[in-house]
Structures are given as C-alpha cells and as structure tokens.
Amino acid sequence: MIKGILTFVEIPTNNLITESDDFFHHSIENYKEMVRQNFNFPSVIIWTYMNEVMIKYPHRNDLSYRLRYIQNIHKLARQVSTVHREKKTPTDTQ
C-alpha cells in the first residue's frame, strides 16, 4: 500500500472578489506565484483560486448586481485559467 498526503494550495481570494482591474491583476499574479512555488511538490494535486466566493453575495437582494458579480467571477476564472494553459513551464513569467 502506498501512503502519502495529497493537498491543495490556493491563493488568498476568499468569500468576495473585488470587481476591479487591480484585483484581477493581483489575483493572476498570485496564481502564477503559487504555481511557481509549489510546482515540484508531489503532494500538491490542485492549485485553486476563488474559495467560496459565491457564499456571501454582496447586495443579496439586488438581482442585477448579483448577476454582474457572477459575471465578474466568471471573467476572473477564465483569465486565470487562460494564464495557466498558456504557460509552457512553471517558471515562465510572461
């Protein structure tokens, strides 16, 4: 029997996202750094971003704001995923 520990690492984007270009930029940079730092750790099986961001909707009763918030979450998720797919090696900084 093989024994070991499997774990995940995540960037500090938790509960709410801030809907700004600066926030998106810093999230992407945090993600890149997280991958660079943890790439060679065999126990890390998942790199995550945006933990529990849909639990606490700001302006819960405002449907139009909620939809915009969800669209911004989706936009950030696609940007981070694109960055990950485009990287050739974990040390690429471009």
Side-chain angles (χ1 to χ4, degrees), residues 9-12 29-42 44 47 87 90-91:
V9 181
E10 64 187 14
I11 64 173
E29 291 305 310
N30 283 337
Y31 183 82
K32 288 178 184 178
E33 183 62 28
M34 175 184 63
V35 171
R36 275 193 295 271
Q37 288 176 0
N38 297 289
F39 183 76
N40 286 318
F41 287 89
V44 176
W47 297 302
K87 293 174 72 61
T91 56

Side-chain angles (χ1 to χ4, degrees), residues 2 9-10 13 21 40 42 68 72 77 81 84 91:
I2 297 173
V9 181
E10 64 187 14
T13 302
D21 290 337
N40 286 318
R68 190 176 78 238
N72 283 321
S81 294
H84 183 77
T91 56

Side-chain angles (χ1 to χ4, degrees), residues 54 57 65-75:
M54 300 195 55
Y57 284 112
Y65 183 85
R66 222 174 4 162
L67 290 174
R68 190 176 78 238
Y69 181 73
I70 292 169
Q71 289 170 343
N72 283 321
I73 290 171
H74 183 254
K75 179 182 172 183

